[in-house]
C-alpha cells in the first residue's frame, strides 16, 4: 500500500517554505530547545534598511498623543457598554421567560 502522489494543475513546483526540518511537538511536555538549536533562530546582525516602512520617525505632539489615547479609551468604553447592555437584556429575557 503506497500512497499516491497528488497532482495539482496549478502547481508549478516551486518551494514556498521548506517544512522538511520541522518535527511535531509533543502535546503534554513541550521540548525545550538546546543552545545549538537556538542559534538557528538568532536575530540577524544587520538590520534591514526598510523593515518598518510605516514608521516615519516623527514623534506625536502632546495633543495628538492625548487625542489618540482618548479615542482608544472611548472605543473600549463603547465596547464595554455594548456587552453590559447585552448582558442586561439577557438577564431581563431570562426573568421574563423563565421567572
Amino acid at each position: 500500500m503506497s500512497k499516491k502522489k497528488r497532482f495539482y494543475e496549478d502547481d508549478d513546483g516551486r518551494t514556498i517554505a521548506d517544512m522538511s526540518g520541522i518535527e511535531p511537538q509533543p502535546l503534554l511536555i513541550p521540548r525545550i530547545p538546546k543552545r545549538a538549536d537556538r542559534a538557528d533562530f538568532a536575530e540577524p546582525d544587520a538590520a534591514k534598511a526598510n523593515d518598518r516602512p510605516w514608521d516615519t520617525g516623527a514623534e506625536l505632539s502632546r495633543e495628538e498623543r492625548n487625542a489618540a489615547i482618548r479615542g482608544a479609551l472611548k472605543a473600549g468604553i463603547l465596547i464595554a457598554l455594548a456587552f453590559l447592555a447585552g448582558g442586561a437584556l439577557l438577564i431581563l429575557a431570562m426573568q421574563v421567560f423563565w421567572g
Side-chain angles (χ1 to χ4, degrees), residues 11-89:
D11 185 16
D12 59 1
R14 293 183 292 170
T15 301
I16 304 300
D18 184 19
M19 306 295 267
S20 61
I22 297 179
E23 300 171 0
Q25 293 292 320
L27 294 176
L28 297 177
I29 303 172
R31 185 181 77 86
I32 300 172
K34 297 177 184 173
R35 295 262 180 211
D37 293 341
R38 291 182 189 166
D40 296 339
F41 299 106
E43 291 289 325
D45 292 336
K48 295 179 184 174
N50 194 14
D51 66 341
R52 293 176 57 136
W54 60 88
D55 189 12
T56 60
E59 294 289 325
L60 294 176
S61 69
R62 185 176 186 95
E63 293 83 20
E64 291 172 333
R65 186 179 62 236
N66 288 341
I69 291 171
R70 277 193 305 272
L73 288 174
K74 285 179 185 178
I77 289 172
L78 183 63
I79 292 170
L81 288 175
F83 274 100
L84 287 173
L89 287 175

